[in-house]
Each structure stands twice: as structure tokens, then as C-alpha cells.
Amino acid sequence: MTSAISRKRAPVAIIDVRETVVPIKSAISNAYIDFSQMTVSVVAVVTDAVRDGKPVVGFGFNSNGRYAPSGLLRERFIPRLKEADPLSIADEERHNLDPHKAWAVLMRNEKPGGHGERSVAVGVLDMAIWDAVAKIEGKPLYRVLAERYRGGKIDDRVFVYAAGGYYYPDKGLEGLQDEFRSYLDRGYTVCKMKIGGAPLDEDLRRIDAALEVVGSPHNLAVDANGRFDLDTAIAYAKALKPYGLFWYEEPGDPLDFHLQAVLPAYYDGPMATGENLFSHQDARNLIRYGGMRPDRDWLQFDCALSYGLVEYMRILEVLHMHGWSARRCIPHGGHQMSLNIAAGLGLGGNESYPDVFWPFNGFADDCPVIDGHVGLPDAPGIGFERKRELYEVMKPLEG
Ligand SMILES: [Mg+2]
């Protein structure tokens, strides 16, 4: 006999959050830093939801370029999440976690501004929560996002470009050419190289060497990693302009909106920036004051470094209000989280690091890059389990 009184289900609870630090050091450098000491935090959010006979565990990691925020995670953000009343982070209608509510719990008692690197700690946890949410729904994250926010429309394949061309010690022009040749062999069409770590004339020789391999200048992007003062940024702009490159990235300090706003007078080709802006307020300042052009420029905000997807959706809202399409976004980081966002929310593409930041680089093992585009696996969550070498790093956190 069934009871006439329907029992309310207990909300999905987070029963543990685990964190570990993993090196992603690489023998490379850009114009600003080398990556010899680089680390990432990997987190696992363990829930009491059960799928396929096992508790659902969501994973996250903090992209690359910022060090593992272990102190912040362990002292503030993980305790807040673990101590939260399950009801306070519940999506009761879907019997799931609510990432937006979890975000509010994480950011309780945090003052505005000064985003620093707490945005990285929150971004790691936000990624793990979204992974868990999609696994609880039994769907790939891109599908969850498309269904909730884009009327179900999914991009079957996403544009990706090969980021590399670093200043390797002992690697000359031939080494750069060999590297780019191997990216083309692996299905990429657009390659990106570093500039600003050498004098302008030497960088121009490197660009000429790269062009011999990639062919069209539309297939080559250059990245100064925020190195230049205004005079140097202008000198490079004048020298680069005749090439007609895919883009000229992050010429000056990420918060120097004046520098960015001056450059279009010297450079009419596409520019890209934003990977070191970590909040929707900073993104809004770039859009308001940075002179970025919605018809040609590219925005590279990386959700894993900037408070996660919950905040990234606020950035997309800011862009929408200022007349920008989400298609102008090609996030930094080369990770599967942004790839899911690109496919589910209709971004312009995603970065990829074919040869560095192992095992956090690249996408699902069974999804090759073809003609500069990559597909996504039909697997629940972000798809980490479909990338064997990365999952081997994450799996021990399942317990
Ligand atoms: Mg960059």
C-alpha cells in the first residue's frame, strides 16, 4: 500500500570536499614568467547522490597560470561548503545542487573588489560543483547548459587553436617551426606564439619563421602576456599591423585600460585580452574603458580563474548589455570546462595546449581535433573520465 502522504526527499548533500596540489611545471617561459614552479589545485566534491551504484563526485582544477590556492581553499572556501546546510545549496526542483546558491555560500563574508586569487579558489570549487550537477542529471555539462540557458541548442564542434610558441631554452627558429608543423599535423589550423620575451626584430624573425609553416597570417596569433608599456605596445602594433594576424594578444598590463584603448589608433586588426581579469566587474571595465571593438576583438576570460561559471554567466550578461556576442569569447586555459561552456552557451571557441601543462591540457581522448575544431564526448559531467591521464590524477580523490 502506498502512502497518501508524499514524503519530501532530502536534498542532495555534499559529504566531503578533498583537495590536492599537483605540479604542472613545464620548461617554458613567456614574456612575463617561467612555468618551472607552476602548480594546480585539484578538488573533489563528494555528494550523497548515487549513480551507477557509486556516490557522485565532481572534479575541478584551476586552469593554469596561477598557483594552487590551497591556503584559501583549506582555510575559507572548503569549510564554508562543507558546513553549508544542504537546503541552502539545493536545487529542490531538480533534486540536485544549485551552483548559484553554492556560489553565494562560498562568497559569504567576502568584501567586494580586490579580486586577487580567491577568484581562483572559488573557480576550482565551482567547476567541481558543475561537474557533479551534470553527473547527477546524467548528462554532459554542455547539454545541461544548453537546455537550461540556450533553448537546447548545442554546438557539435568547437573551434580550438594551438597555443604554444613559448621561449624554450635552446630552441631556435627551427624548433618553433617543428612545433607548429606538429600542431598542423594534429588537426589544428591556427597556432599562437609568444612575443615580447625578445627584442622586436628578433620577434619579427620568429613570426616570419612561423608564417613559413602556418601559411596564411590568419592562422597565426601572437601573445605578449601583458609585458609592454605603451610605447613598446605601439611599436609592436605598427610592426605587426602589415601582417594581418589572427590576433595581437594582451599587449599591456591587464588592468591598463588606457593602453588598450589607445592601441586601435595604431592597429586595426583583431586584438584579444581578458585572461587576467577575474570578475565581471573587471570585465565590465575592460568593455567600458578598454576600447575593445565588438566587431573584431576577442575576449579570453577563463572561468576557472575568475570565480567559476556562475560568475562567467554574469560576464556574458555584461557583454550582452554592451552589445557583444558570446561568439567573441575564446577563453584562456585550454580545459574541458570552457570547452563545455563553448559548446553549450555558444562561445567562439577555446584555447588548447597540445604540448604543455600535461595532463591538464587537451580534451577527451576519443575526440580528435579535425580542421581546427573538436567535438565533445557524450559522457556525464565535464568529461574528465574520458581523458584517461587526467582522470588518473583525479581518481585517488574519490577515496
Ligand atoms: Mg595569453
Side-chain angles (χ1 to χ4, degrees), residues 59-97:
F59 294 109
F61 70 93
N62 61 270
S63 189
N64 66 70
R66 299 281 157 169
Y67 299 89
S70 300
L72 294 167
L73 284 165
R74 290 178 184 197
E75 288 167 18
R76 299 218 299 277
F77 295 105
I78 288 176
R80 278 181 202 153
L81 198 55
K82 284 171 77 168
E83 289 159 16
D85 177 351
L87 258 186
S88 72
I89 56 172
D91 180 341
E92 291 185 84
E93 198 179 317
R94 299 186 181 95
H95 197 242
N96 204 327
L97 300 169

mmCIF file of all heavy atoms in Angstrom, residues 59-97:
data_model
loop_
_atom_site.group_PDB
_atom_site.id
_atom_site.type_symbol
_atom_site.label_atom_id
_atom_site.label_comp_id
_atom_site.label_asym_id
_atom_site.label_seq_id
_atom_site.Cartn_x
_atom_site.Cartn_y
_atom_site.Cartn_z
ATOM 1 N N PHE A 59 34.654 16.957 -10.044
ATOM 2 C CA PHE A 59 36.070 17.358 -10.014
ATOM 3 C C PHE A 59 36.256 18.761 -10.583
ATOM 4 O O PHE A 59 35.519 19.177 -11.482
ATOM 5 C CB PHE A 59 36.924 16.402 -10.859
ATOM 6 C CG PHE A 59 36.982 15.005 -10.322
ATOM 7 C CD1 PHE A 59 36.323 13.967 -10.970
ATOM 8 C CD2 PHE A 59 37.688 14.724 -9.159
ATOM 9 C CE1 PHE A 59 36.374 12.678 -10.484
ATOM 10 C CE2 PHE A 59 37.744 13.431 -8.663
ATOM 11 C CZ PHE A 59 37.081 12.398 -9.320
ATOM 12 N N GLY A 60 37.285 19.432 -10.051
ATOM 13 C CA GLY A 60 37.658 20.728 -10.611
ATOM 14 C C GLY A 60 39.152 20.940 -10.487
ATOM 15 O O GLY A 60 39.818 20.309 -9.661
ATOM 16 N N PHE A 61 39.688 21.820 -11.318
ATOM 17 C CA PHE A 61 41.095 22.252 -11.167
ATOM 18 C C PHE A 61 41.210 23.676 -11.676
ATOM 19 O O PHE A 61 40.344 24.149 -12.420
ATOM 20 C CB PHE A 61 42.064 21.305 -11.881
ATOM 21 C CG PHE A 61 42.003 21.350 -13.381
ATOM 22 C CD1 PHE A 61 42.851 22.194 -14.093
ATOM 23 C CD2 PHE A 61 41.112 20.563 -14.088
ATOM 24 C CE1 PHE A 61 42.814 22.242 -15.490
ATOM 25 C CE2 PHE A 61 41.068 20.602 -15.468
ATOM 26 C CZ PHE A 61 41.914 21.440 -16.172
ATOM 27 N N ASN A 62 42.321 24.337 -11.288
ATOM 28 C CA ASN A 62 42.327 25.786 -11.527
ATOM 29 C C ASN A 62 43.038 26.226 -12.802
ATOM 30 O O ASN A 62 43.810 27.173 -12.777
ATOM 31 C CB ASN A 62 42.856 26.566 -10.316
ATOM 32 C CG ASN A 62 44.287 26.231 -9.925
ATOM 33 O OD1 ASN A 62 44.504 25.338 -9.125
ATOM 34 N ND2 ASN A 62 45.269 26.930 -10.471
ATOM 35 N N SER A 63 42.744 25.574 -13.933
ATOM 36 C CA SER A 63 43.319 26.024 -15.195
ATOM 37 C C SER A 63 44.829 26.068 -15.059
ATOM 38 O O SER A 63 45.405 25.183 -14.406
ATOM 39 C CB SER A 63 42.736 27.393 -15.575
ATOM 40 O OG SER A 63 43.105 27.768 -16.880
ATOM 41 N N ASN A 64 45.497 27.049 -15.640
ATOM 42 C CA ASN A 64 46.947 27.175 -15.475
ATOM 43 C C ASN A 64 47.307 28.639 -15.400
ATOM 44 O O ASN A 64 46.527 29.510 -15.755
ATOM 45 C CB ASN A 64 47.678 26.493 -16.626
ATOM 46 C CG ASN A 64 47.412 27.203 -17.936
ATOM 47 O OD1 ASN A 64 47.870 28.318 -18.159
ATOM 48 N ND2 ASN A 64 46.625 26.576 -18.797
ATOM 49 N N GLY A 65 48.496 28.903 -14.908
ATOM 50 C CA GLY A 65 48.990 30.278 -14.885
ATOM 51 C C GLY A 65 48.865 30.951 -13.532
ATOM 52 O O GLY A 65 49.444 32.008 -13.309
ATOM 53 N N ARG A 66 48.084 30.384 -12.632
ATOM 54 C CA ARG A 66 48.002 30.844 -11.244
ATOM 55 C C ARG A 66 48.310 29.639 -10.374
ATOM 56 O O ARG A 66 47.886 28.523 -10.682
ATOM 57 C CB ARG A 66 46.618 31.397 -10.908
ATOM 58 C CG ARG A 66 46.223 32.577 -11.749
ATOM 59 C CD ARG A 66 46.885 33.872 -11.274
ATOM 60 N NE ARG A 66 46.936 34.847 -12.352
ATOM 61 C CZ ARG A 66 47.265 36.131 -12.184
ATOM 62 N NH1 ARG A 66 47.558 36.589 -10.976
ATOM 63 N NH2 ARG A 66 47.315 36.947 -13.205
ATOM 64 N N TYR A 67 49.002 29.852 -9.279
ATOM 65 C CA TYR A 67 49.424 28.727 -8.454
ATOM 66 C C TYR A 67 48.245 28.166 -7.655
ATOM 67 O O TYR A 67 47.237 28.831 -7.459
ATOM 68 C CB TYR A 67 50.548 29.177 -7.513
ATOM 69 C CG TYR A 67 51.758 29.663 -8.273
ATOM 70 C CD1 TYR A 67 51.877 31.002 -8.642
ATOM 71 C CD2 TYR A 67 52.748 28.776 -8.688
ATOM 72 C CE1 TYR A 67 52.963 31.446 -9.371
ATOM 73 C CE2 TYR A 67 53.841 29.220 -9.417
ATOM 74 C CZ TYR A 67 53.944 30.564 -9.756
ATOM 75 O OH TYR A 67 55.016 31.007 -10.491
ATOM 76 N N ALA A 68 48.413 26.916 -7.203
ATOM 77 C CA ALA A 68 47.366 26.245 -6.424
ATOM 78 C C ALA A 68 46.967 27.108 -5.225
ATOM 79 O O ALA A 68 47.822 27.441 -4.404
ATOM 80 C CB ALA A 68 47.882 24.890 -5.940
ATOM 81 N N PRO A 69 45.695 27.457 -5.114
ATOM 82 C CA PRO A 69 45.258 28.310 -3.995
ATOM 83 C C PRO A 69 44.890 27.494 -2.756
ATOM 84 O O PRO A 69 43.813 27.660 -2.172
ATOM 85 C CB PRO A 69 44.036 29.034 -4.578
ATOM 86 C CG PRO A 69 43.448 28.039 -5.522
ATOM 87 C CD PRO A 69 44.606 27.232 -6.085
ATOM 88 N N SER A 70 45.790 26.614 -2.349
ATOM 89 C CA SER A 70 45.470 25.667 -1.274
ATOM 90 C C SER A 70 45.094 26.349 0.031
ATOM 91 O O SER A 70 44.174 25.925 0.716
ATOM 92 C CB SER A 70 46.670 24.764 -1.002
ATOM 93 O OG SER A 70 46.990 24.050 -2.143
ATOM 94 N N GLY A 71 45.838 27.392 0.390
ATOM 95 C CA GLY A 71 45.550 28.061 1.664
ATOM 96 C C GLY A 71 44.141 28.613 1.694
ATOM 97 O O GLY A 71 43.397 28.401 2.657
ATOM 98 N N LEU A 72 43.771 29.299 0.627
ATOM 99 C CA LEU A 72 42.418 29.865 0.545
ATOM 100 C C LEU A 72 41.371 28.768 0.586
ATOM 101 O O LEU A 72 40.345 28.882 1.262
ATOM 102 C CB LEU A 72 42.262 30.667 -0.748
ATOM 103 C CG LEU A 72 43.106 31.933 -0.877
ATOM 104 C CD1 LEU A 72 43.096 32.437 -2.312
ATOM 105 C CD2 LEU A 72 42.586 33.010 0.059
ATOM 106 N N LEU A 73 41.624 27.696 -0.145
ATOM 107 C CA LEU A 73 40.656 26.600 -0.175
ATOM 108 C C LEU A 73 40.500 25.993 1.208
ATOM 109 O O LEU A 73 39.385 25.787 1.683
ATOM 110 C CB LEU A 73 41.114 25.526 -1.173
ATOM 111 C CG LEU A 73 40.902 25.869 -2.656
ATOM 112 C CD1 LEU A 73 41.718 24.936 -3.543
ATOM 113 C CD2 LEU A 73 39.423 25.788 -3.013
ATOM 114 N N ARG A 74 41.615 25.692 1.837
ATOM 115 C CA ARG A 74 41.547 24.947 3.099
ATOM 116 C C ARG A 74 41.082 25.810 4.255
ATOM 117 O O ARG A 74 40.400 25.322 5.163
ATOM 118 C CB ARG A 74 42.909 24.337 3.393
ATOM 119 C CG ARG A 74 43.208 23.219 2.402
ATOM 120 C CD ARG A 74 44.554 22.587 2.590
ATOM 121 N NE ARG A 74 44.741 21.601 1.519
ATOM 122 C CZ ARG A 74 45.641 20.637 1.550
ATOM 123 N NH1 ARG A 74 46.430 20.496 2.588
ATOM 124 N NH2 ARG A 74 45.739 19.792 0.546
ATOM 125 N N GLU A 75 41.434 27.088 4.246
ATOM 126 C CA GLU A 75 41.089 27.930 5.384
ATOM 127 C C GLU A 75 39.692 28.518 5.284
ATOM 128 O O GLU A 75 39.052 28.760 6.303
ATOM 129 C CB GLU A 75 42.117 29.063 5.531
ATOM 130 C CG GLU A 75 43.458 28.556 6.036
ATOM 131 C CD GLU A 75 44.558 29.593 5.884
ATOM 132 O OE1 GLU A 75 44.254 30.790 5.717
ATOM 133 O OE2 GLU A 75 45.737 29.184 5.918
ATOM 134 N N ARG A 76 39.236 28.811 4.086
ATOM 135 C CA ARG A 76 37.957 29.517 3.966
ATOM 136 C C ARG A 76 36.916 28.777 3.141
ATOM 137 O O ARG A 76 35.818 28.495 3.607
ATOM 138 C CB ARG A 76 38.166 30.901 3.332
ATOM 139 C CG ARG A 76 39.046 31.841 4.091
ATOM 140 C CD ARG A 76 38.558 33.281 4.036
ATOM 141 N NE ARG A 76 38.502 33.880 2.695
ATOM 142 C CZ ARG A 76 39.556 34.417 2.069
ATOM 143 N NH1 ARG A 76 40.740 34.395 2.626
ATOM 144 N NH2 ARG A 76 39.404 34.973 0.882
ATOM 145 N N PHE A 77 37.275 28.469 1.880
ATOM 146 C CA PHE A 77 36.199 28.110 0.960
ATOM 147 C C PHE A 77 35.706 26.670 1.119
ATOM 148 O O PHE A 77 34.500 26.417 1.068
ATOM 149 C CB PHE A 77 36.631 28.417 -0.477
ATOM 150 C CG PHE A 77 36.823 29.890 -0.689
ATOM 151 C CD1 PHE A 77 38.087 30.443 -0.770
ATOM 152 C CD2 PHE A 77 35.727 30.733 -0.728
ATOM 153 C CE1 PHE A 77 38.253 31.815 -0.927
ATOM 154 C CE2 PHE A 77 35.876 32.100 -0.877
ATOM 155 C CZ PHE A 77 37.150 32.648 -0.975
ATOM 156 N N ILE A 78 36.619 25.729 1.330
ATOM 157 C CA ILE A 78 36.152 24.350 1.532
ATOM 158 C C ILE A 78 35.347 24.234 2.833
ATOM 159 O O ILE A 78 34.261 23.631 2.831
ATOM 160 C CB ILE A 78 37.340 23.362 1.482
ATOM 161 C CG1 ILE A 78 37.841 23.249 0.030
ATOM 162 C CG2 ILE A 78 36.935 21.989 2.013
ATOM 163 C CD1 ILE A 78 39.076 22.375 -0.147
ATOM 164 N N PRO A 79 35.814 24.826 3.965
ATOM 165 C CA PRO A 79 34.984 24.751 5.174
ATOM 166 C C PRO A 79 33.586 25.342 4.976
ATOM 167 O O PRO A 79 32.592 24.779 5.454
ATOM 168 C CB PRO A 79 35.795 25.550 6.205
ATOM 169 C CG PRO A 79 37.212 25.405 5.760
ATOM 170 C CD PRO A 79 37.144 25.393 4.249
ATOM 171 N N ARG A 80 33.477 26.464 4.254
ATOM 172 C CA ARG A 80 32.142 27.050 4.046
ATOM 173 C C ARG A 80 31.219 26.084 3.307
ATOM 174 O O ARG A 80 30.037 25.944 3.649
ATOM 175 C CB ARG A 80 32.261 28.352 3.237
ATOM 176 C CG ARG A 80 32.630 29.532 4.076
ATOM 177 C CD ARG A 80 32.720 30.797 3.241
ATOM 178 N NE ARG A 80 33.560 31.750 3.954
ATOM 179 C CZ ARG A 80 34.268 32.707 3.386
ATOM 180 N NH1 ARG A 80 34.202 32.875 2.090
ATOM 181 N NH2 ARG A 80 35.010 33.515 4.114
ATOM 182 N N LEU A 81 31.779 25.417 2.302
ATOM 183 C CA LEU A 81 30.954 24.500 1.519
ATOM 184 C C LEU A 81 30.562 23.279 2.353
ATOM 185 O O LEU A 81 29.409 22.830 2.333
ATOM 186 C CB LEU A 81 31.728 24.071 0.268
ATOM 187 C CG LEU A 81 30.939 23.475 -0.882
ATOM 188 C CD1 LEU A 81 29.814 24.401 -1.329
ATOM 189 C CD2 LEU A 81 31.866 23.170 -2.060
ATOM 190 N N LYS A 82 31.520 22.759 3.114
ATOM 191 C CA LYS A 82 31.236 21.557 3.901
ATOM 192 C C LYS A 82 30.253 21.839 5.045
ATOM 193 O O LYS A 82 29.479 20.966 5.442
ATOM 194 C CB LYS A 82 32.541 20.980 4.468
ATOM 195 C CG LYS A 82 33.362 20.234 3.421
ATOM 196 C CD LYS A 82 34.734 19.864 3.914
ATOM 197 C CE LYS A 82 34.702 18.673 4.852
ATOM 198 N NZ LYS A 82 36.090 18.161 5.085
ATOM 199 N N GLU A 83 30.312 23.043 5.574
ATOM 200 C CA GLU A 83 29.442 23.367 6.705
ATOM 201 C C GLU A 83 28.070 23.874 6.276
ATOM 202 O O GLU A 83 27.199 24.083 7.107
ATOM 203 C CB GLU A 83 30.134 24.422 7.592
ATOM 204 C CG GLU A 83 31.317 23.846 8.363
ATOM 205 C CD GLU A 83 32.311 24.921 8.818
ATOM 206 O OE1 GLU A 83 31.953 26.123 8.818
ATOM 207 O OE2 GLU A 83 33.454 24.541 9.158
ATOM 208 N N ALA A 84 27.867 24.052 4.969
ATOM 209 C CA ALA A 84 26.595 24.609 4.500
ATOM 210 C C ALA A 84 25.447 23.636 4.758
ATOM 211 O O ALA A 84 25.585 22.425 4.560
ATOM 212 C CB ALA A 84 26.690 24.915 3.007
ATOM 213 N N ASP A 85 24.326 24.170 5.188
ATOM 214 C CA ASP A 85 23.096 23.382 5.279
ATOM 215 C C ASP A 85 22.729 22.922 3.862
ATOM 216 O O ASP A 85 22.647 23.747 2.949
ATOM 217 C CB ASP A 85 21.996 24.278 5.858
ATOM 218 C CG ASP A 85 20.646 23.577 5.918
ATOM 219 O OD1 ASP A 85 20.516 22.456 5.359
ATOM 220 O OD2 ASP A 85 19.723 24.159 6.502
ATOM 221 N N PRO A 86 22.538 21.609 3.649
ATOM 222 C CA PRO A 86 22.219 21.134 2.289
ATOM 223 C C PRO A 86 21.060 21.889 1.642
ATOM 224 O O PRO A 86 21.070 22.112 0.420
ATOM 225 C CB PRO A 86 21.874 19.662 2.510
ATOM 226 C CG PRO A 86 22.669 19.277 3.725
ATOM 227 C CD PRO A 86 22.687 20.514 4.605
ATOM 228 N N LEU A 87 20.110 22.304 2.417
ATOM 229 C CA LEU A 87 18.979 23.046 1.844
ATOM 230 C C LEU A 87 19.431 24.379 1.250
ATOM 231 O O LEU A 87 18.854 24.870 0.284
ATOM 232 C CB LEU A 87 17.921 23.304 2.929
ATOM 233 C CG LEU A 87 16.680 22.428 2.930
ATOM 234 C CD1 LEU A 87 15.695 22.941 3.980
ATOM 235 C CD2 LEU A 87 16.008 22.394 1.551
ATOM 236 N N SER A 88 20.480 24.964 1.834
ATOM 237 C CA SER A 88 20.922 26.289 1.391
ATOM 238 C C SER A 88 21.617 26.228 0.032
ATOM 239 O O SER A 88 21.814 27.268 -0.603
ATOM 240 C CB SER A 88 21.865 26.910 2.427
ATOM 241 O OG SER A 88 23.131 26.254 2.419
ATOM 242 N N ILE A 89 22.005 25.036 -0.415
ATOM 243 C CA ILE A 89 22.655 24.913 -1.734
ATOM 244 C C ILE A 89 21.870 23.960 -2.643
ATOM 245 O O ILE A 89 22.399 23.443 -3.618
ATOM 246 C CB ILE A 89 24.118 24.439 -1.606
ATOM 247 C CG1 ILE A 89 24.205 23.117 -0.829
ATOM 248 C CG2 ILE A 89 24.965 25.499 -0.915
ATOM 249 C CD1 ILE A 89 25.600 22.503 -0.846
ATOM 250 N N ALA A 90 20.602 23.762 -2.314
ATOM 251 C CA ALA A 90 19.806 22.758 -3.034
ATOM 252 C C ALA A 90 19.054 23.358 -4.219
ATOM 253 O O ALA A 90 18.518 24.464 -4.141
ATOM 254 C CB ALA A 90 18.805 22.120 -2.073
ATOM 255 N N ASP A 91 19.018 22.607 -5.308
ATOM 256 C CA ASP A 91 18.082 22.837 -6.401
ATOM 257 C C ASP A 91 16.956 21.840 -6.146
ATOM 258 O O ASP A 91 17.016 20.690 -6.593
ATOM 259 C CB ASP A 91 18.773 22.580 -7.738
ATOM 260 C CG ASP A 91 17.848 22.804 -8.930
ATOM 261 O OD1 ASP A 91 16.614 22.800 -8.738
ATOM 262 O OD2 ASP A 91 18.362 22.966 -10.047
ATOM 263 N N GLU A 92 15.952 22.277 -5.410
ATOM 264 C CA GLU A 92 14.928 21.333 -4.932
ATOM 265 C C GLU A 92 14.087 20.789 -6.088
ATOM 266 O O GLU A 92 13.708 19.625 -6.091
ATOM 267 C CB GLU A 92 14.036 22.020 -3.893
ATOM 268 C CG GLU A 92 14.795 22.311 -2.597
ATOM 269 C CD GLU A 92 13.887 22.874 -1.518
ATOM 270 O OE1 GLU A 92 13.248 22.069 -0.828
ATOM 271 O OE2 GLU A 92 13.835 24.116 -1.412
ATOM 272 N N GLU A 93 13.835 21.646 -7.063
ATOM 273 C CA GLU A 93 13.002 21.230 -8.189
ATOM 274 C C GLU A 93 13.638 20.072 -8.958
ATOM 275 O O GLU A 93 12.975 19.101 -9.323
ATOM 276 C CB GLU A 93 12.827 22.436 -9.119
ATOM 277 C CG GLU A 93 11.686 22.313 -10.084
ATOM 278 C CD GLU A 93 11.591 23.576 -10.936
ATOM 279 O OE1 GLU A 93 11.718 24.698 -10.381
ATOM 280 O OE2 GLU A 93 11.429 23.419 -12.150
ATOM 281 N N ARG A 94 14.942 20.158 -9.175
ATOM 282 C CA ARG A 94 15.636 19.119 -9.945
ATOM 283 C C ARG A 94 16.264 18.061 -9.047
ATOM 284 O O ARG A 94 16.925 17.146 -9.544
ATOM 285 C CB ARG A 94 16.729 19.745 -10.812
ATOM 286 C CG ARG A 94 16.249 20.752 -11.839
ATOM 287 C CD ARG A 94 17.414 21.173 -12.728
ATOM 288 N NE ARG A 94 17.049 22.163 -13.728
ATOM 289 C CZ ARG A 94 17.185 23.478 -13.586
ATOM 290 N NH1 ARG A 94 17.676 23.971 -12.479
ATOM 291 N NH2 ARG A 94 16.833 24.310 -14.553
ATOM 292 N N HIS A 95 16.100 18.197 -7.754
ATOM 293 C CA HIS A 95 16.785 17.322 -6.793
ATOM 294 C C HIS A 95 18.261 17.220 -7.135
ATOM 295 O O HIS A 95 18.810 16.145 -7.403
ATOM 296 C CB HIS A 95 16.140 15.926 -6.727
ATOM 297 C CG HIS A 95 16.544 15.187 -5.484
ATOM 298 N ND1 HIS A 95 17.244 14.013 -5.493
ATOM 299 C CD2 HIS A 95 16.389 15.514 -4.178
ATOM 300 C CE1 HIS A 95 17.481 13.626 -4.251
ATOM 301 N NE2 HIS A 95 16.969 14.518 -3.435
ATOM 302 N N ASN A 96 18.914 18.380 -7.059
ATOM 303 C CA ASN A 96 20.321 18.489 -7.436
ATOM 304 C C ASN A 96 20.933 19.604 -6.598
ATOM 305 O O ASN A 96 20.240 20.221 -5.769
ATOM 306 C CB ASN A 96 20.424 18.804 -8.944
ATOM 307 C CG ASN A 96 21.745 18.372 -9.554
ATOM 308 O OD1 ASN A 96 22.791 18.403 -8.895
ATOM 309 N ND2 ASN A 96 21.697 17.963 -10.811
ATOM 310 N N LEU A 97 22.215 19.840 -6.804
ATOM 311 C CA LEU A 97 22.856 21.007 -6.205
ATOM 312 C C LEU A 97 22.550 22.232 -7.074
ATOM 313 O O LEU A 97 22.361 22.105 -8.289
ATOM 314 C CB LEU A 97 24.377 20.811 -6.141
ATOM 315 C CG LEU A 97 24.879 19.617 -5.334
ATOM 316 C CD1 LEU A 97 26.369 19.393 -5.589
ATOM 317 C CD2 LEU A 97 24.615 19.839 -3.839
#
